Amino acid sequence: MPYTKRRRLVSSAVAVTLGASALAACGSSSDDGEARSGPVSLTYWSWTPGMDKVVDLWNKGPGKKERITVTVKKQASGDTLVTKILTAHKAGKAPDLVQAEYQALPTLVSNDALADIGDEVGDAKSRFAEGVWQQTTLGTDAVYAVPQDIGPMMFYYREDLFKQYGLTVPATWDEFAETARKLKKAAPGKDLTTFSANDSGLFAGLAQQAGARWWTTSGDRWKVGINDAATKKVAEFWGGLVEEGAVANQPMYTPAWNKALNTGEQIAWVSAVWAPGTLTTAAPDTQGKWAMAPLPQWNEGDRSTGSWGGSSTAVTTDSGNKDAAAKFAAWLNTDGEALNALAKESGIYPASTSAQLSGAFTSPPEYFSNQPDFYRKAAEIAETTAPSAWGPNVNVAYTTFRDAFGAAAKNKSGFTAALDTMQEDTVADLKKQGFGVAE
């Protein structure tokens, strides 16, 4: 695990130096060999429902043969889990494996909580779309996790109402805007969609599709580009639509939003592959009336999508059995039986490209029974996932987004100033934490 692989993710003031002193925590080959001389017991922190049933397949099959037993400890997700992992790591008591959202990886790596498992799982790279695998490398030649599930973004629309109002599924964002305006003229009481200022993950995915790189590195310093040209383009586009009233600006996942979907007041939704599950409960009366298409593109003929959600399986630097833990992480996310079980028991959409057209994904979701090729299209879209660039304080950027964009959406005052606020707050927080920041 050469020092150069991780040097660029170092905090200059916080005691997370990733040099020679940190290498011992990653587990040497002799440590692994010593640990593997007898049965190995691993602990895995995960929030995925039904994960214990999936792990049972390992324990009764490959794990039994390898003499590697895995125990799942159910956890909360999001920032709560990240904080718990870091707290455990400071005490040297982190579990062997953790489920980590992609945007959490830089925080965990910067604190030397995750091991580089590139030598153990590197050959799995071909199983994943390039933009997905990239999220586990953080732009370095290290590999900090194995992709588990992903949330490629898509465009959902009411087929019947598009036909009724003479609308065409937009292939570009310019066409999307014109479609919104055309609907407003034909049916002033309806909206094509809503811009939800409380969903930072949605906005991040849209910026990702446009080519944004919110966090990058320059030597041993972080560089923040939240208000870069790509993101400004996205902010100005949506801010303009909100200002002119072409789309709604109410938050999602509220009773009012559910009603808008269920009654046809909102006839489209920019979402991700997991949308069918949400629509099933939010708009039960419209089952079989929706269809899915690729996200509109910024340039005609482009093929790119953003990511909204998704997680990976990582090995911690506290594990004394890195080789065994990495072997399980690879099995969990590339083995056919494991992936089928994850789909059945946990309801995930797998990151592995080979699993996206097999098992549970050979027929469409029940809600989309009218679109037999739903998962074939989904797999094609997933392959176009754009690279992302996460940093060690995503939580700060997301919190500022909700505050600043929420106020701008409410006042219909445009989003450019809100974007600048996100940039300023994120940079200030990095400096406060002691990270080197390149201007």
Side-chain angles (χ1 to χ4, degrees), residues 171-172 297-304:
T172 67
Q297 302 294 304
W298 286 104
N299 300 299
E300 189 173 355
D302 284 355
R303 294 183 70 245
S304 178

Side-chain angles (χ1 to χ4, degrees), residues 102-104 106 135 138 204 208 214-215 222 307 388-392 394 398:
Y102 296 114
Q103 66 262 31
Q135 294 195 80
L138 310 187
Q208 177 188 348
W214 284 5
W215 287 268
W222 285 99
S307 235
S388 65
W390 301 112
V394 173
Y398 277 14

Side-chain angles (χ1 to χ4, degrees), residues 5 100-103 105-106 109 115-151 208 307 309-314 326 329-334 350-353 356 382-390:
K5 286 184 178 180
E101 293 178 291
Y102 296 114
Q103 66 262 31
L105 292 176
V109 171
D116 172 11
I117 53 175
D119 291 341
E120 291 81 9
V121 304
D123 58 354
K125 179 179 180 180
S126 62
R127 301 290 196 96
F128 306 94
E130 184 176 349
V132 173
W133 183 259
Q134 173 266 344
Q135 294 195 80
T136 68
T137 68
L138 310 187
T140 72
D141 55 350
V143 179
Y144 296 107
V146 182
Q148 180 167 297
D149 60 300
I150 55 174
Q208 177 188 348
S307 235
S311 63
S312 62
T313 308
W331 171 86
L332 179 65
N333 300 302
T334 62
S352 169
T353 54
Q356 292 165 4
E383 279 287 342
T384 71
T385 300
S388 65
W390 301 112

Side-chain angles (χ1 to χ4, degrees), residues 59-96:
N59 289 334
K60 294 174 182 178
K64 186 175 183 180
K65 180 180 179 181
E66 298 279 352
R67 297 201 297 172
I68 302 171
T69 301
V70 178
T71 300
V72 177
K73 296 286 183 70
K74 191 72 176 291
Q75 305 293 325
S77 59
D79 293 340
T80 301
L81 178 56
V82 173
T83 300
K84 186 172 182 178
I85 294 168
L86 293 179
T87 300
H89 171 62
K90 287 179 182 178
K93 296 180 179 180
D96 299 277

